Amino acid sequence: MPPPADIVKVAIEWPGAYPKLMEIDQKKPLSAIIKEVCDGWSLPNHEYFALQHADSSNFYITEKAQNAQQLHERIQSSSMDAKLEALKDLASLSRDVTFAQEFINLDGISLLTQMVESGTERYQKLQKIMKPCFGDMLSFTLTAFVELMDHGIVSWDTFSVAFIKKIASFVNKSAIDISILQRSLAILESMVLNSHDLYQKVAQEITIGQLIPHLQGSDQEIQTYTIAVINALFLKAPDDRRQEMANILAQKQLRSIILTHVIRAQRAINNEMAHQLYVLQVLTFNLLEDRMMTKMDPQDQAQRDIIFELRRIAFDAESEPNNSSGSMEKRKSMYTRDYKKLGFINHVNPAMDFTQTPPGMLALDNMLYFAKHHQDAYIRIVLENSSREDKHECPFGRSSIELTKMLCEILKVGELPSETCNDFHPMFFTHDRSFEEFFCICIQLLNKTWKEMRATSEDFNKVMQVVKEQVMRALTTKPSSLDQFKSKLQNLSYTEILKIRQSERMNQEDFQSRPILELKEKIQPEILELIKQQRLNRLVEGTCFRKLNARRRQDKFWYCRLSPNHKVLHYGDLEESPQGEVPHDSLQDKLPVADIKAVVTGKDCPHMKEKGALKQNKEVLELAFSILYDSNCQLNFIAPDKHEVRVSGG
């Protein structure tokens, strides 16, 4: 009579002893099997032993390895119901890094890609008959693939063109299951971000025109993934392709579609959508970097003609810049006088004013835009200052150059997007030339503030500081349109700024008075003890952290909290963001506080040094901290905000 199917014979070795052929009951827990093996050799403390493959892999056998082997077999079942259930389990278990490693060791990724490539035709043929079943199968397959790849164990460069085409085909379909579309967009984003070769292949398969319809729907998650793919293509495009891509986005009216269907939709914008809008905003403004870092060539006639045009619009709308009437000396003298009225530093050759970078030629571009699109305001500012006494005139040329530089600093033109920032401004999505319009509003503000301050040329830097404060304070209110931004600035006059400064100064001085300082010194020990207790209480309460990866998908969470006796850290993955505290017993992993070697922050964190880790920009470094333990182990954190860093990281 053959043995039961769950009983297998396994040869087990122990150093210095003869191997044993043992019958293993696969229904038993692994810990019970290990105990039986240890008992056979009279080895105490079975909990300190593990089974290990004797082949070249030397992998340890764990409960999760057993699960991986069983699922690897189950997803190849000929029964559709069994296969569906197995894929559902796989999609869930793949979040666990230990299980993922075991499944990948079984060449599980290749199996999933083959299923996607070969199973799609079958899915298409049978979807009319059994659409829910086959739709769910494909959805679970793609979900498992995304989860497994997110662990960073397998390189993205290993995938075939056939697989890329399959994934792209799901995105290009006009009617496709939402979950399949979502996973497909996530896969394309990861391919683009993680491999230059895959970027090129994906760019050949996906067009902006095919992505636009997904933004016009009502599902914010699909919209978020769609913008994420556009951002990834934008970010990884070669320098000579970015402007071309920006032109395509403009032709497809991406900005107005996002404004209508995302920003002004009747629903709140979640954090991940806010981040993707911020990234798109940064990438769009970064297109200005080339002009910002381009010096003017004083010998370039086309560039010099722009300066002539500024003079013509302001002083002589009827004449042409190359008018030959009058003597050369007379015209030269007239131009020098006019360039002084325009506020250039170099009256003889104003082209020299644009040789400093930043802002380079971008300042001249802004001035010309203002002169052409807001001509009345431009002429008024220039003529107003022409009629003032020399010491009180606001130099339009110099002001425009410094203002352009300041606005570039505020918007961080040329810097890569932060991985954690959600700071997008709706008003920049309301106009195709939003930066130029932003400049036009601010140059008029500068002129107004100059008059309110009764400034002279010696006060130039003071005026610029006030204008920067006005702009920054207005931006923090997140105006929904450029007109609303202009209204906010109207309420932030120089007088109002002085009042705000005075109020802030008085509050600060109150805390620096002698009685306050004496009281602070007296109660400082008690305050420090209260702070320590508050931090411990916060650690016991715990914090939910988002898992950030190469795609920066924020739909994964893990939780970490200190035990009430302050001796153990409990942590583990969560399916979704918790609504309150997470019980200790629901967190799978533990770390004794006594085993902690150090807590490091910023650039010293291991996950800030790893290949393919988050970009080391200032914002991420400020939020990163790691707990080091054992010889080469660590828990890596990206805190939700700076307050949480102070509490959790100490």
Side-chain angles (χ1 to χ4, degrees):
M1 180 177 178
D6 293 316
I7 304 296
V8 295
K9 290 187 176 182
V10 179
I12 301 178
E13 298 176 328
W14 175 253
Y18 290 107
K20 289 186 177 183
L21 187 65
M22 301 186 66
E23 289 190 345
I24 301 294
D25 184 351
Q26 296 184 82
K27 287 185 177 179
K28 287 185 177 181
L30 184 60
S31 58
I33 295 172
I34 292 174
K35 186 177 185 306
E36 288 180 9
V37 173
C38 289
D39 290 346
W41 272 300
S42 300
L43 299 173
N45 302 321
H46 72 277
E47 61 270 19
Y48 294 110
F49 290 84
L51 296 176
Q52 184 182 33
H53 285 284
D55 59 17
S56 59
S57 70
N58 290 323
F59 289 133
Y60 285 96
I61 298 171
T62 64
E63 297 282 3
K64 288 172 181 175
Q66 286 183 315
N67 288 342
Q69 180 65 53
Q70 291 168 3
L71 273 176
H72 192 271
E73 295 169 0
R74 286 170 57 203
I75 63 175
Q76 299 178 74
S77 171
S78 57
S79 165
M80 290 297 105
D81 289 340
K83 192 169 190 171
L84 178 63
E85 195 62 31
L87 287 168
K88 182 179 180 180
D89 291 343
L90 179 62
S92 175
L93 288 171
S94 294
R95 285 174 173 261
D96 182 273
V97 66
T98 307
F99 171 86
Q101 181 70 71
E102 298 292 350
F103 187 79
I104 289 169
N105 290 338
L106 297 170
D107 210 17
I109 292 286
S110 295
L111 178 59
L112 292 180
T113 56
Q114 290 167 16
M115 290 171 64
V116 171
E117 289 178 26
S118 61
T120 307
E121 288 81 4
R122 189 179 182 190
Y123 160 68
Q124 291 170 336
K125 291 176 183 176
L126 298 177
Q127 64 176 333
K128 292 183 180 179
I129 304 171
M130 302 176 65
K131 183 176 180 180
C133 175
F134 282 91
D136 288 345
M137 283 178 60
L138 184 56
S139 174
F140 288 136
T141 303
L142 295 176
T143 301
F145 176 85
V146 169
E147 298 294 349
L148 291 168
M149 291 303 297
D150 273 356
H151 294 297
I153 299 169
V154 178
S155 169
W156 282 93
D157 285 311
T158 58
F159 298 107
S160 66
V161 174
F163 180 69
I164 297 169
K165 286 180 178 289
K166 284 293 182 187
I167 299 299
S169 71
F170 301 144
V171 173
N172 293 337
K173 287 183 185 297
S174 56
I176 190 75
D177 183 88
I178 290 293
S179 60
I180 295 172
L181 175 60
Q182 181 197 83
R183 273 58 165 190
S184 299
L185 288 166
I187 292 169
L188 291 178
E189 182 195 1
S190 288
M191 286 178 171
V192 172
L193 290 176
N194 289 284
S195 168
H196 177 69
D197 288 341
L198 290 187
Y199 155 74
Q200 294 178 318
K201 293 169 184 174
V202 171
Q204 291 172 359
E205 298 296 328
I206 295 289
T207 67
I208 300 300
Q210 290 163 330
L211 292 172
I212 291 292
H214 300 315
L215 291 173
Q216 295 171 314
S218 58
D219 190 306
Q220 185 171 130
E221 197 164 10
I222 293 298
Q223 291 175 323
T224 303
Y225 278 84
T226 301
I227 296 176
V229 172
I230 292 172
N231 285 338
L233 290 168
F234 213 149
L235 185 64
K236 292 299 180 178
D239 292 343
D240 58 342
R241 279 273 299 146
R242 280 187 193 156
Q243 188 57 59
E244 181 184 338
M245 186 174 174
N247 295 337
I248 294 172
L249 296 179
Q251 290 170 9
K252 298 295 182 182
Q253 298 184 315
L254 177 71
R255 178 197 58 76
S256 60
I257 289 171
I258 289 176
L259 183 66
T260 302
H261 296 278
V262 178
I263 296 175
R264 291 181 176 171
Q266 298 301 309
R267 60 172 181 267
I269 291 176
N270 62 35
N271 286 338
E272 178 62 11
M273 173 60 86
H275 172 74
Q276 294 300 342
L277 291 173
Y278 152 78
V279 172
L280 182 58
Q281 172 185 294
V282 171
L283 294 176
T284 302
F285 284 144
N286 279 356
L287 292 171
L288 303 169
E289 184 182 13
D290 182 55
R291 294 294 281 175
M292 181 182 78
M293 300 307 294
T294 299
K295 296 181 180 181
M296 185 171 185
D297 180 1
Q299 306 305 317
D300 188 314
Q301 188 58 46
Q303 294 180 0
R304 290 168 62 87
D305 285 346
I306 298 175
I307 297 176
F308 287 141
E309 182 69 2
L310 289 173
R311 177 201 163 275
R312 185 192 67 80
I313 294 173
F315 301 115
D316 195 3
E318 299 300 321
S319 67
E320 294 299 322
N322 294 321
N323 195 319
S324 58
S325 63
S327 68
M328 180 69 72
E329 287 298 321
K330 185 176 180 181
R331 280 192 290 120
K332 188 175 180 180
S333 174
M334 179 177 64
Y335 283 4
T336 300
R337 181 197 64 204
D338 290 347
Y339 291 149
K340 183 179 180 183
K341 290 180 180 179
L342 279 169
F344 290 113
I345 297 173
N346 191 319
H347 309 149
V348 177
N349 187 6
M352 299 303 296
D353 287 15
F354 301 95
T355 56
Q356 180 187 354
T357 59
M361 288 295 291
L362 184 60
L364 189 58
D365 294 342
N366 282 339
M367 294 167 70
L368 184 62
Y369 181 91
F370 182 49
K372 285 190 170 183
H373 294 83
H374 299 271
Q375 193 169 112
D376 290 345
Y378 167 70
I379 293 173
R380 184 179 66 252
I381 286 176
V382 173
L383 295 184
E384 260 184 21
N385 288 290
S386 299
S387 60
R388 290 183 198 168
E389 296 178 34
D390 279 356
K391 65 175 185 177
H392 285 293
E393 66 179 12
C394 177
F396 173 73
R398 182 186 176 191
S399 298
S400 297
I401 292 168
E402 291 302 317
L403 178 64
T404 300
K405 182 179 179 181
M406 185 184 80
L407 298 183
C408 288
E409 289 172 354
I410 290 173
L411 298 177
K412 300 181 180 179
V413 174
E415 293 186 22
L416 285 173
S418 162
E419 297 286 351
T420 57
C421 186
N422 301 335
D423 190 25
F424 85 98
H425 294 277
M427 73 178 195
F428 291 132
F429 289 85
T430 63
H431 201 286
D432 289 329
R433 304 288 295 274
S434 59
F435 183 79
E436 290 88 341
E437 290 293 322
F438 185 42
F439 168 84
C440 292
I441 293 170
C442 292
I443 193 65
Q444 294 177 76
L445 167 72
L446 193 156
N447 190 63
K448 172 175 171 285
T449 302
W450 185 282
K451 289 189 288 186
E452 291 173 348
M453 292 177 66
R454 301 181 184 277
T456 64
S457 56
E458 288 79 12
D459 301 317
F460 186 88
N461 290 334
K462 292 180 182 177
V463 175
M464 294 303 298
Q465 288 171 5
V466 173
V467 170
K468 183 173 184 178
E469 185 173 346
Q470 290 170 313
V471 172
M472 294 292 286
R473 288 186 184 277
L475 285 176
T476 56
T477 66
K478 293 295 180 73
S480 60
S481 67
L482 290 163
D483 284 340
Q484 195 176 96
F485 173 67
K486 195 185 300 183
S487 298
K488 298 286 184 184
L489 291 176
Q490 289 293 330
N491 296 326
L492 285 170
S493 64
Y494 175 57
T495 303
E496 184 63 26
I497 291 294
L498 289 179
K499 289 179 181 177
I500 294 171
R501 286 179 175 180
Q502 179 66 17
S503 175
E504 291 174 348
R505 192 180 300 115
M506 287 176 65
N507 290 336
Q508 188 175 7
E509 287 172 356
D510 286 345
F511 285 103
Q512 297 301 318
S513 63
R514 184 176 180 82
I516 293 293
L517 291 174
E518 289 176 353
L519 178 61
K520 182 179 177 182
E521 185 178 356
K522 183 177 180 180
I523 65 174
Q524 188 174 30
E526 184 180 347
I527 291 174
L528 291 175
E529 183 58 34
L530 285 172
I531 291 172
K532 178 183 175 182
Q533 193 58 47
Q534 187 270 341
R535 288 187 172 182
L536 283 171
N537 291 341
R538 185 70 182 88
L539 291 170
V540 170
E541 179 185 328
T543 301
C544 177
F545 297 90
R546 292 184 183 274
K547 283 194 168 184
L548 304 184
N549 52 43
R551 288 186 295 112
R552 196 192 178 272
R553 283 273 72 81
Q554 289 201 358
D555 50 3
K556 297 181 183 179
F557 304 88
W558 71 293
Y559 201 90
C560 186
R561 63 180 298 182
L562 185 66
S563 61
N565 63 6
H566 303 165
K567 292 185 177 181
V568 179
L569 281 177
H570 298 263
Y571 61 96
D573 293 342
L574 301 177
E575 292 294 325
E576 57 186 6
S577 181
Q579 298 304 309
E581 289 186 26
V582 176
H584 294 95
D585 54 11
S586 67
L587 299 173
Q588 311 95 324
D589 301 298
K590 300 178 183 179
L591 171 61
V593 172
D595 291 348
I596 295 175
K597 306 297 183 186
V599 176
V600 296
T601 60
K603 64 182 179 181
D604 296 322
C605 296
H607 56 320
M608 291 293 100
K609 300 176 181 178
E610 293 171 358
K611 182 179 179 181
L614 300 175
K615 295 181 184 69
Q616 293 190 36
N617 53 50
K618 184 179 178 182
E619 290 86 349
V620 173
L621 290 175
E622 287 178 346
L623 299 176
F625 65 98
S626 296
I627 294 176
L628 309 183
Y629 63 98
D630 289 346
S631 58
N632 194 29
C633 299
Q634 68 269 336
L635 287 179
N636 298 320
F637 301 80
I638 300 291
D641 51 53
K642 293 178 183 178
H643 170 75
E644 207 64 51
V645 172
R646 290 193 292 271
V647 174
S648 302

